[in-house]
Amino acid sequence: MLSARAAATAAAASPLWKRGEGGSSGSGSGCTSCREVRRRAAAVRVRAAAPRRVEAVAMESAAETEKEEEVAAAGGGVEDMATEEVPVTPWAFSVASGYTLLRDPHHNKGLAFSEKERDAHYLRGLLPPAVVSQDLQVKKIMHNLRQYSVPLQRYMAMMDLQERNERLFYKLLIDNVEELLPVVYTPTVGEACQKYGSIFRQPQGLYVSLKDKYVCLALLEYPRICLPITIDVGTNNEQLLNDEFYIGLRQRRATGKEYHELMEEFMSAVKQIYGEKVLIQFEDFANHNAFDLLAKYSKSHLVFNDDIQAGTGIAELIALEISKQTKAPIEECRKKVWLLDSKGLIVNSRKESLQAFKKPWAHEHEPVTTLLDAVQSIKPTVLIGTSGVGKTFTKEVIEAMASFNEGRAVFASGSPFDPVEYNGKIHVPGQSNNAYIFPGFGLGVVISGAVRVHEDMLLAASETLADQATQENFEKGSIFPPFTNIRKISARIAASVAAKAYELGLATRLPQPRDLEKYAESCMYTPVYRSYR
């Protein structure tokens, strides 16, 4: 919004603000009502200015027009007339200065505003006198975060920072990614989701529910670039339904036609607003919906689902790689991979009751209900867990694996674990987290202008990550490089994914950059502060 000084300067220069061309007579092409609103807004700010600098919001309604001059003469502004009985329209003209700038998370720099910027943007007196660097701000916040003993408290403090100062938030995260990723992602984010209603502060993204059916197009018309979207179709969780702090749609989960109609409307609206190349990531959809949605919309939209494409998708990628290296048919290669679900080993005798996405993995074998029995019977060389159910790889399971596999165990978990000392040697438990793959994957899709996601692009991402494993990592007990290198890792993955998109004829950004890795790095977000005029 305009500061009083800016409004006064503008008012002195010209009696009216105008839109479009036109002279000082007011005969330009601007809207008369808009000019009148702006004139009155300027007048309110000028009257409110003496003797101190202020920020004002002009709020008005047709019913107030006659009373405005009386109230202004008494030294008040239009907002002084607002009552519960007389509705007002919240008009706000915004210029990034004063309190407005300090409350804008996209542009706020806190104490990092220079002396020159403080004078230019009316911050003098609104900040303590010290001018500090962004690096010092990061150091201070890390010191404060380390005082919290409860991970959720750290999460909430991080979210508060993001709402105040977006660039500082990302700078903090990038500079301390190994320490903070477990706070903003696995495992703390799971608890944050469960307690979302209790810790909710400011909206971050877009909320679409069944109440918004038929207006999805209108809801999507304002976001510009990247947006987290919650699609709320209700819940069957009794604890949430009875929780007074629950802020979601308080009704039973929609299914069938009602559910799919909302998804169809949403997906159509997204494509209509943003075009063919809008990238949609499905996140945390229940299996019975996730596979159907991916199968349906992968043919018409640019979509991926890191949950299921990191679940049975892993099995498919392994089979594809085996097929690629051995030239064997994919159907034969799938037989080298066995899957286990909550009911036991996926075998042919269960095929009639299996969901469609599991059927290709039903092999000939007697029914087996436990992982230990499956390990002892099939004698696999690798165990991969993607269900999210903990304590599945028990001591008995590991001992069974060790009984018929020679060599050292290679371990990686989804969640981070502290280093372990054993026989005088420090072992660093490896982490196999989708944060290694999908940020780089998404970047590769975007920088190539891909119009569809192909499984070969996922395979290219996996191969690139595998290529970055080193003997140095193995000696520490880790499979992958440390997360401190995640931006470099992501750039290489993005380059491989983009190259595959060009190879498959799915890329639209032409001509293809000569050095895709450097191009990927140049497209990455850099959260350093910018200087303001």
Side-chain angles (χ1 to χ4, degrees), residues 335-351:
K335 294 178 182 178
K336 304 288 184 183
V337 184
W338 294 81
L339 271 64
L340 199 85
D341 64 10
S342 60
K343 294 181 175 62
L345 199 65
I346 294 177
V347 294
N348 270 333
S349 59
R350 295 178 52 198
K351 205 163 189 176

Side-chain angles (χ1 to χ4, degrees), residues 154-374:
R154 293 181 186 173
Y155 174 89
M156 293 167 66
M158 289 286 288
M159 294 304 104
D160 285 343
L161 175 62
Q162 187 179 21
E163 290 163 11
R164 294 194 315 271
N165 187 329
E166 195 172 81
R167 286 181 176 266
L168 185 57
F169 169 84
Y170 287 111
K171 173 73 169 169
L172 185 79
L173 186 56
I174 288 171
D175 289 357
N176 301 275
V177 64
E178 284 194 306
E179 184 173 349
L180 294 181
L181 194 61
V183 176
V184 298
Y185 196 47
T186 306
T188 308
V189 73
E191 184 182 2
C193 289
Q194 292 171 339
K195 299 177 179 177
Y196 183 63
S198 298
I199 66 174
F200 178 84
R201 282 167 167 71
Q202 291 288 332
Q204 292 181 322
L206 200 64
Y207 300 85
V208 178
S209 76
L210 288 169
K211 292 182 177 180
D212 304 310
K213 199 173 180 182
Y214 308 123
V215 296
C216 282
L217 192 64
L219 293 181
L220 286 164
E221 283 183 332
Y222 74 90
R224 190 170 59 89
I225 301 176
C226 179
L227 185 71
I229 300 174
T230 297
I231 298 181
D232 190 341
V233 295
T235 179
N236 293 336
N237 186 312
E238 292 292 341
Q239 185 177 352
L240 292 178
L241 288 170
N242 296 318
D243 184 352
E244 64 177 322
F245 299 131
Y246 183 59
I247 59 175
L249 194 62
R250 203 179 291 267
Q251 67 174 59
R252 292 285 173 182
R253 179 183 289 273
T255 58
K257 182 180 178 182
E258 185 180 21
Y259 175 87
H260 287 287
E261 282 181 349
L262 178 65
M263 290 303 304
E264 178 66 31
E265 180 188 345
F266 172 79
M267 294 297 289
S268 298
V270 167
K271 194 169 179 180
Q272 185 174 335
I273 293 288
Y274 302 109
E276 189 77 16
K277 291 181 285 185
V278 60
L279 176 60
I280 303 166
Q281 175 190 347
F282 292 127
E283 177 73 27
D284 289 338
F285 280 71
N287 275 349
H288 60 278
N289 289 322
F291 284 94
D292 290 344
L293 291 171
L294 190 62
K296 178 179 180 179
Y297 292 109
S298 61
K299 300 178 181 67
S300 57
H301 291 66
L302 184 63
V303 297
F304 71 91
N305 184 319
D306 71 303
D307 296 314
I308 61 172
Q309 287 178 294
T312 54
I314 289 176
E316 185 67 16
L317 290 177
I318 291 172
L320 282 170
E321 185 65 18
I322 295 173
S323 177
K324 181 179 174 182
Q325 293 190 21
T326 64
K327 310 300 181 186
I330 186 68
E331 293 78 13
E332 291 299 315
C333 296
R334 288 193 184 113
K335 294 178 182 178
K336 304 288 184 183
V337 184
W338 294 81
L339 271 64
L340 199 85
D341 64 10
S342 60
K343 294 181 175 62
L345 199 65
I346 294 177
V347 294
N348 270 333
S349 59
R350 295 178 52 198
K351 205 163 189 176
E352 292 303 315
S353 62
L354 290 174
Q355 294 165 285
F357 64 88
K358 294 181 182 179
K359 289 184 178 181
W361 308 99
H363 308 321
E364 197 60 53
H365 197 282
E366 68 272 12
V368 174
T369 56
T370 71
L371 175 60
L372 179 58
D373 289 340

Side-chain angles (χ1 to χ4, degrees), residues 430-475:
Q431 192 173 359
S432 180
N433 191 300
N434 57 11
Y436 274 113
I437 286 284
F438 285 102
F441 180 82
L443 179 60
V445 170
V446 170
I447 65 174
S448 64
V451 292
R452 295 290 180 273
V453 169
H454 192 280
E455 57 191 12
D456 282 353
M457 293 158 67
L458 285 161
L459 195 57
S462 302
E463 290 171 347
T464 303
L465 178 59
D467 288 342
Q468 297 183 68
T470 65
Q471 187 62 36
E472 182 183 358
N473 302 138
F474 298 153
E475 289 172 357

